[in-house]
Amino acid sequence: MWRTQWQLVQGAITPYIFSVPTVLLTLLAVGLYALGWRRLAAQGRRPSWWRLLSFGVGVLLCYVVMHTQFDYYARFMFFMHRLQHMVLHHLGAFLIALSNPLPIFAAAFGARRFPRLALVWRPLRRLLFDPVVATVLFVGLIFFWLSPVVHFDAMLNLNLYELMNWSMLVDGVIFWLVILDPRDPDDARTSRFGVRFLMLLAALFPQILLGAYITFSDPGLYDVYAVCGRAWPMSAATDQVLGGIFTWIPPAMMTILGALVVLRLYVRHESKKGESHAPSADCPDHSGFRPGTGQL
Amino acid sequence: MPRRLIALTTLVFALALASCNNAPVSFHGKDITGVMPDLQFQLTGEQGQTVTEQRFQDKAVILFFGYTHCPDFCPTTLTSLAQALKKLPEQTREQIRVMFVSVDPDRDTPELLKKYTGYFGPRIVGLTGNKEQLDTLTKRYRTTYGYDEPDENGNYLVSHGLAMYGFDKQGKVHLFMRNDQPVDQIAEDLAALAGL
């Protein structure tokens, strides 16, 4: 009895196609995070458990959709593929960014500095975290990987498939990092809250339009699932309608959720400014990490 | 702002480049040279014997998945392939074999497969295997299959890929044809494949 149940679990968590980059990148992210966490805790600056929970659940969700049997269904059913990307680009990426992980990653390196790496990283970061670039990339990648010709190739070519999933995850995390950055824009020179609202708005409508277009188009828009066979005999029309709805509604809801978090950050910073104009001891430093407060 | 524009354009170009395929396309179908692994399998033949890729040495091979109870795509695709083969000169035809791999081994016995492929011509070979063998082969070529619930008569639908995969005489993959490719174009692609 227990053995059969264990076999079921084992079957479910076994990756459909083992991916070395996925394992290495996940281990690297988790390892660096754990190291940073330990260093901060040793200095008496342990971040809140909420942040750990948000990061952990985000990473776990992304891993599950990329590297278990879920991935098998995502490769052979369009609507499962849309669910996979919803987790990678929206839910998982959102939770990872919400946990404000960059200061913890930075703490993993301690006092060590990498001037050469910084030379490459800083302009890249400035570019990718630019509100216009981040929004265009966020929406552009959805459209790019969902254009039928590109989608067809990505589903046939293993390397392209992995590039698709990882680009969605990395891009999702970057977009949500810009949106959910908890630092005061005045101090940290990050995007202002109004700009973030506009970013969300700019990302929302193209996604709704695309989702509606897929939902109401004639079936067969993504014929790669017919050509390569579905995981079970579901009609192309049902698969596409479900896929369209999953492109349309949950991402739109995530955008609203993002807007609520931005609103909360805005109110908090404004009320803080109202209390005192002078910078106080617990103001965020430029690493974006505030010990003890456990803010997200 | 101009810097932003330049950066954006660079990114768009980088993405566009990533989607380009440099290989020259000489097929009507899709050229998938190098995208998937060489032909390799272990299956059961129409006489119940074990068959591997060795059987098709020095032959160009078209691989197609299906099942004999299939109401639509399998008979139409096999008919198209049979018609395309008929259009080719005898010498070219002799260099080509079609592998019809049944993903419904419970119903498709070697005898049934032999009878079924017999309708379509002597160069169409029926094969099947156990779940493990079929899973290995379908995974290798990025395809899958699944079963519906049986009705009261025990009949059930099977989902399977509709693509035809073309391998050259060395077993290297080159060609990916959709099931709705016109017969003339299939014939031309078969000839091109046999000439590689």
Side-chain angles (χ1 to χ4, degrees):
Chain A
M1 171 77 178
W2 283 109
R3 182 171 282 182
T4 32
Q5 277 183 343
W6 169 237
Q7 277 171 345
L8 275 178
V9 173
Q10 216 176 8
I13 60 173
T14 307
Y16 176 61
I17 292 178
F18 188 82
S19 154
V20 177
T22 301
V23 172
L24 287 182
L25 286 168
T26 309
L27 281 179
L28 183 73
V30 171
L32 276 180
Y33 194 87
L35 189 62
W37 183 278
R38 263 186 58 181
R39 291 224 160 124
L40 286 173
Q43 293 164 14
R45 301 197 298 159
R46 183 183 59 73
S48 91
W49 294 109
W50 287 113
R51 289 174 69 179
L52 179 65
L53 184 71
S54 183
F55 181 81
V57 173
V59 170
L60 188 68
L61 278 174
C62 292
Y63 179 84
V64 165
V65 297
M66 279 199 287
H67 216 231
T68 63
Q69 281 299 301
F70 191 101
D71 181 52
Y72 164 72
Y73 293 103
R75 283 171 198 259
F76 295 111
M77 298 304 255
F78 178 62
F79 81 94
M80 290 296 281
H81 155 77
R82 291 318 303 153
L83 275 179
Q84 182 190 47
H85 275 204
M86 199 201 81
V87 168
L88 292 179
H89 209 210
H90 289 84
L91 190 58
F94 184 94
L95 286 172
I96 292 172
L98 188 69
S99 76
N100 189 16
L102 293 187
I104 296 169
F105 284 130
F109 297 101
R112 248 175 299 168
R113 289 289 170 266
F114 305 90
R116 278 203 194 147
L117 203 68
L119 222 59
V120 183
W121 167 241
R122 280 210 193 106
L124 192 69
R125 178 178 167 146
R126 207 173 303 138
L127 169 72
L128 293 175
F129 283 63
D130 178 274
V132 177
V133 176
T135 311
V136 170
L137 266 184
F138 187 76
V139 176
L141 270 187
I142 303 176
F143 276 73
F144 177 74
W145 291 119
L146 273 178
S147 65
V149 179
V150 176
H151 196 76
F152 197 99
D153 285 2
M155 286 298 169
L156 286 191
N157 188 324
L158 275 188
N159 294 335
L160 209 55
Y161 180 81
E162 288 209 30
L163 179 69
M164 169 174 77
N165 283 352
W166 274 98
S167 66
M168 289 302 269
L169 174 56
V170 170
D171 173 64
V173 171
I174 290 174
F175 179 79
W176 292 113
L177 277 175
V178 176
I179 297 286
L180 305 173
D181 194 319
R183 294 171 292 176
D184 186 337
D186 285 336
D187 295 334
R189 285 183 297 163
T190 50
S191 301
R192 312 199 70 81
F193 295 121
V195 172
R196 299 188 202 179
F197 274 117
L198 285 178
M199 286 172 73
L200 287 169
L201 213 60
L204 177 63
F205 287 106
Q207 289 185 79
I208 290 179
L209 282 177
L210 181 64
Y213 173 73
I214 294 171
T215 308
F216 296 118
S217 284
D218 289 334
L221 199 56
Y222 299 104
D223 62 347
V224 68
Y225 298 92
V227 173
C228 288
R230 288 192 164 78
W232 67 88
M234 175 189 261
S235 81
T238 315
D239 195 12
Q240 189 173 315
V241 166
L242 281 176
I245 290 173
F246 288 142
T247 310
W248 177 358
I249 293 166
M253 283 167 66
M254 289 305 295
T255 309
I256 306 296
L257 207 62
L260 286 175
V261 177
V262 175
L263 189 68
R264 184 177 168 272
L265 288 171
Y266 172 73
V267 169
R268 201 175 64 190
H269 286 295
E270 283 307 299
S271 62
K272 201 162 278 171
K273 266 180 206 150
E275 281 167 20
S276 151
H277 284 279
S280 61
D282 68 346
C283 250
D285 61 16
H286 280 255
S287 73
F289 174 70
R290 286 193 290 170
T293 57
Q295 86 293 346
L296 291 173
Chain B
M1 202 57 179
R3 215 191 291 164
R4 222 178 240 181
L5 262 181
I6 293 167
L8 261 183
T9 326
T10 319
L11 274 169
V12 169
F13 271 101
L15 282 177
L17 263 179
S19 70
C20 278
N21 188 357
N22 299 329
V25 179
S26 53
F27 296 117
H28 295 288
K30 200 174 171 58
D31 190 328
I32 54 162
T33 306
V35 171
M36 291 179 196
D38 297 351
L39 187 63
Q40 197 187 86
F41 62 88
Q42 189 171 22
L43 295 168
T44 307
E46 291 172 351
Q47 273 77 40
Q49 81 285 27
T50 301
V51 179
T52 68
E53 66 280 0
Q54 300 292 327
R55 159 94 180 266
F56 300 109
Q57 253 185 347
D58 299 322
K59 302 280 181 208
V61 173
I62 296 291
L63 167 65
F64 177 66
F65 296 95
Y67 64 116
T68 63
H69 291 67
C70 180
D72 38 33
F73 296 116
C74 303
T76 50
T77 309
L78 286 176
T79 306
S80 298
L81 275 170
Q83 285 172 346
L85 279 169
K86 262 190 206 142
K87 285 181 183 285
L88 299 175
E90 176 61 37
Q91 204 187 347
T92 315
R93 206 183 308 158
E94 202 25 65
Q95 296 169 24
I96 301 168
R97 291 291 178 275
V98 173
M99 278 174 65
F100 174 68
V101 177
S102 166
V103 290
D104 186 18
D106 284 351
R107 285 185 292 185
D108 290 343
T109 57
E111 301 79 53
L112 185 59
L113 272 172
K114 186 179 164 66
K115 205 170 139 197
Y116 186 74
T117 56
Y119 297 133
F120 300 100
R123 284 166 199 86
I124 298 179
V125 183
L127 296 158
T128 189
N130 59 33
K131 185 178 179 323
E132 202 187 328
Q133 291 169 329
L134 291 172
D135 283 355
T136 308
L137 185 64
T138 48
K139 191 175 188 175
R140 198 174 169 86
Y141 297 107
R142 319 266 184 274
T143 178
T144 194
Y145 59 97
Y147 307 108
D148 227 347
E149 289 297 317
D151 64 13
E152 63 271 19
N153 301 321
N155 294 322
Y156 53 90
L157 283 174
V158 179
S159 65
H160 59 91
L162 304 180
M164 296 172 265
Y165 303 77
F167 300 84
D168 67 14
K169 290 171 193 156
Q170 286 76 47
K172 299 242 175 296
V173 73
H174 290 286
L175 176 63
F176 187 91
M177 291 186 288
R178 292 167 199 240
N179 60 307
D180 55 1
Q181 187 167 321
V183 173
D184 288 342
Q185 292 187 5
I186 294 179
E188 282 172 34
D189 281 358
L190 290 183
L193 192 67
L196 279 174

